[in-house]
Amino acid sequence: MTTDVSTLQGGCPAPFLDASLFPKSSGNIAGRLCAPVEQLPGKPVCCIPCPATEWVFPPRFQTWYRISESLSAIGLVMCIFLLLSWTFLPVEKTRRHYLSICLVIGIILEALAFVVPLGVKPQQCYDAITPNDMYSNLTCAFSGAFIVGGGLTVTVWIFIRALSMHLQICWDIVPGKKYFYVSQVLGWGIAAILFTVTMTITGVSFRFGDACHVNSHNSMADFWGPLLGISTGAGVVQIMTFMYCIKVYLRNMWSDQRTDTGNSSGLPSYNSSMHVQSARAVYQRVTKVLWLQWRSITIVIFLLVDVIFLAIVWVQLDNAVDRAADGKLERFMPFLLCLFTSQGDKEKCYKAGQEALVNESTAIAMLMLLSLTGVQTGLMMSRTSMFVAWYDLFRRKVTRKREFVSLDAKRFSNDARAFELRKVTSPSAMRSPATADDAERKGPASPPGYYPGPGGAPLGDAERAYRKPTMSFSGPRPPSRTGPGGREWNPEETFARGGLGLNPPESPVRDSFGSVGEKASRTYTGGSGSVRKG
């Protein structure tokens, strides 16, 4: 909003504005950077014009802020790619896990807090000295809610993820369904409770750039205190896990040295062998888990550093603002005197203002860490198999579906008779389509009983001789002529166990189907393949 600030100075020197000339109707009244000046007549309350960041940081800071917003947009795209991959691709290609999904959701919320202002370009100030808050600006409400919800979600799931790795590495406990349900209830429940308390009691407003942040009033008890407590707990659990890994590594080295030295006889004792075996087994198990969980460990370390660093910087900034609101201006006096003596020349007072609040390098580092969380997570959780799976899925959906068709099936598919069973009129009970086709191309079939010999000469109607192997218990069984389809059975030929002996010559013989044949005056020689009548 454009206003002639010279008419709003009141009893305050330039560039300060008199707070009594501004109504306390809307906006973040507590976010005004004002202080009473008892040395001036009437003891006016003088305020720094809004936005205050333009008086503390040079114009290049806005360039860095735009870069951080662009990086947040890139991280948002990468995290959405992860969620889509976990949704539509097979598990063996993505290695998805509910701990990763919940953590990425929190990072997406955090990235949206900087992407929304990138497209909207919100108005930071309600009037010349009052910043907008979540009640006076809709963009502020959304960006602040995304920052609070994303920060709490990321911090809580960092702790749950660090605890899961600690149980697997240090205690050899693989979290199951019980851990899943408890983590879902506690993870989302704690984040929702803290989010509700922070947005209701403390609120958010424009304090640092185009995104709204948590107000300083009651922020330590509602937001920063729980955030620091949870992140510190996650850090302690992670440090304990690292200490255990170092202990296992050193114990394995000590076991190797003990194996090399041995005892006085040159042979390892039983106790030393068991100790070495146990230490080496634990070392191999821990190494395997670390190799499988190195992505999770790296992500937890990065996010823990980001959260703890941001919390410390913001707590210091809130404490400085609260002291100025209470009239404790010792830290701000060099900055205020610089603005008074220079008649509002910003360039001469940047250094003093950064010493009173936060220096430019720390602010840029804080912005970069916030914007790079999505990029770091996207790079660490992405796998080459995801891109290959997306390519295969796209190729299957876009290209025409092709079926494998056998060349023989295509050749004989028009002749339905080629796939029917032929009538058994020859030694071949059934002919394949290829055989039938070959017979039709070569000419009329051979006459019955014609079997080509070694040079193509016919063997005539004689049966082929069959040589029974020495240890074979089977042989050709021609149909019996004693009955319809019946076969005689000789227990000596089949090595079957008999009762009291062989059947008497005149006793009836039952075939394999139980029908009674003629008298046992016939014998069947199973090895020669011929039938001899008695």
Side-chain angles (χ1 to χ4, degrees):
M1 53 187 306
T2 58
T3 306
D4 188 6
V5 295
S6 59
T7 60
L8 301 176
Q9 291 179 357
C12 298
F16 303 102
L17 303 179
D18 194 344
S20 60
L21 302 177
F22 296 90
K24 298 181 179 180
S25 58
S26 185
N28 185 21
I29 307 301
R32 297 174 175 177
L33 294 180
C34 304
V37 182
E38 298 180 356
Q39 292 81 3
L40 295 176
K43 298 180 180 180
V45 178
C46 299
C47 305
I48 298 177
C50 178
T53 53
E54 294 183 357
W55 298 88
V56 178
F57 301 109
R60 64 174 177 268
F61 180 76
Q62 293 297 324
T63 304
W64 282 105
Y65 200 91
R66 293 290 178 266
I67 294 175
S68 67
E69 290 178 340
S70 302
L71 291 175
S72 298
I74 296 174
L76 176 63
V77 173
M78 297 176 70
C79 291
I80 291 177
F81 169 77
L82 289 177
L83 286 184
L84 293 177
S85 300
W86 290 333
T87 303
F88 296 104
L89 297 181
V91 181
E92 61 272 11
K93 300 294 183 181
T94 60
R95 307 287 179 88
R96 66 171 177 259
H97 197 272
Y98 68 92
L99 293 177
S100 301
I101 295 174
C102 297
L103 184 62
V104 168
I105 290 175
I107 295 174
I108 288 177
L109 295 176
E110 194 77 27
L112 284 173
F114 296 92
V115 174
V116 170
L118 180 62
V120 177
K121 298 293 190 302
Q123 182 67 34
Q124 298 186 24
C125 300
Y126 179 76
D127 54 32
I129 62 173
T130 310
N132 274 313
D133 59 1
M134 61 183 184
Y135 300 105
S136 60
N137 189 276
L138 187 61
T139 304
C140 176
F142 276 101
S143 62
F146 286 143
I147 283 183
V148 175
L152 291 172
T153 302
V154 169
T155 305
V156 171
W157 284 101
I158 284 175
F159 177 81
I160 295 175
R161 196 179 186 93
L163 181 61
S164 175
M165 288 188 296
H166 180 78
L167 293 176
Q168 294 181 60
I169 295 175
C170 300
W171 302 99
D172 195 16
I173 298 175
V174 179
K177 285 188 176 181
K178 185 180 295 185
Y179 188 86
F180 167 76
Y181 291 118
V182 172
S183 63
Q184 292 294 325
V185 173
L186 294 181
W188 296 110
I190 293 175
I193 292 173
L194 294 177
F195 172 80
T196 304
V197 171
T198 302
M199 296 297 292
T200 303
I201 298 178
T202 304
V204 294
S205 62
F206 286 106
R207 302 182 58 198
F208 193 82
D210 292 336
C212 282
H213 297 269
V214 180
N215 295 325
S216 60
H217 178 67
N218 291 329
S219 62
M220 191 63 190
D222 299 339
F223 183 74
W224 295 114
L227 200 71
L228 280 173
I230 297 173
S231 58
T232 303
V236 170
V237 172
Q238 195 70 27
I239 292 174
M240 292 173 60
T241 305
F242 284 155
M243 292 178 63
Y244 177 80
C245 295
I246 295 173
K247 175 185 175 182
V248 170
Y249 177 73
L250 294 176
R251 187 171 60 181
N252 182 72
M253 291 182 58
W254 179 73
S255 300
D256 292 340
Q257 294 177 359
R258 185 170 180 175
T259 304
D260 295 337
T261 55
N263 52 18
S264 60
S265 62
L267 298 174
S269 63
Y270 176 78
N271 293 331
S272 63
S273 299
M274 291 298 296
H275 180 78
V276 171
Q277 183 179 4
S278 176
R280 187 164 301 172
V282 174
Y283 174 77
Q284 292 176 353
R285 178 182 63 81
V286 172
T287 304
K288 183 178 180 180
V289 175
L290 287 176
W291 176 251
L292 294 175
Q293 298 285 340
W294 70 271
R295 297 173 185 267
S296 300
I297 295 173
T298 307
I299 292 172
V300 167
I301 293 174
F302 284 162
L303 295 179
L304 272 178
V305 172
D306 295 349
V307 171
I308 293 175
F309 176 75
L310 293 173
I312 292 175
V313 172
W314 275 104
V315 167
Q316 293 178 353
L317 182 62
D318 289 343
N319 291 335
V321 173
D322 291 340
R323 284 196 299 267
D326 294 338
K328 302 176 181 179
L329 301 176
E330 295 82 4
R331 189 172 180 175
F332 284 87
M333 285 306 300
F335 176 56
L336 298 177
L337 291 176
C338 178
L339 292 177
F340 175 73
T341 56
S342 63
Q343 296 296 316
D345 190 356
K346 301 177 183 179
E347 295 182 358
K348 296 180 179 179
C349 304
Y350 285 146
K351 184 178 180 181
Q354 293 175 17
E355 290 177 354
L357 294 173
V358 58
N359 59 65
E360 183 182 6
S361 59
T362 303
I364 294 175
M366 182 172 59
L367 286 175
M368 291 297 105
L369 287 178
L370 275 173
S371 59
L372 287 175
T373 53
V375 177
Q376 292 172 353
T377 306
L379 291 176
M380 297 303 300
M381 291 190 177
S382 296
R383 300 174 182 269
T384 308
S385 58
M386 291 183 180
F387 299 95
V388 177
W390 275 115
Y391 173 74
D392 294 338
L393 181 62
F394 180 77
R395 185 180 59 182
R396 289 196 304 267
K397 295 296 182 181
V398 174
T399 58
R400 185 172 62 89
K401 293 184 179 180
R402 298 182 179 271
E403 248 179 71
F404 173 76
V405 180
S406 174
L407 187 59
D408 292 337
K410 182 178 180 181
R411 180 187 306 168
F412 300 106
S413 60
N414 296 327
D415 187 8
R417 296 174 300 172
F419 297 94
E420 295 178 356
L421 292 178
R422 301 302 180 107
K423 185 177 180 181
V424 182
T425 57
S426 64
S428 300
M430 183 171 56
R431 295 195 300 171
S432 64
T435 307
D437 186 69
D438 292 340
E440 292 175 3
R441 289 199 304 265
K442 291 181 180 179
S446 301
Y450 178 88
Y451 300 97
L459 293 178
D461 295 337
E463 294 183 353
R464 286 188 177 183
Y466 173 76
R467 293 185 180 181
K468 178 182 178 180
T470 305
M471 296 301 294
S472 176
F473 305 121
S474 64
R477 297 290 189 270
S480 175
R481 301 181 182 176
T482 60
R487 294 192 182 188
E488 294 182 352
W489 172 62
N490 191 346
E492 289 183 347
E493 293 292 336
T494 56
F495 296 90
R497 292 184 180 181
L500 299 177
L502 297 177
N503 294 326
E506 301 297 330
S507 62
V509 180
R510 295 182 180 272
D511 60 6
S512 58
F513 297 97
S515 61
V516 180
E518 298 180 359
K519 294 182 179 180
S521 58
R522 303 176 181 180
T523 57
Y524 167 63
T525 57
S528 62
S530 62
V531 179
R532 180 170 57 86
K533 295 183 180 180

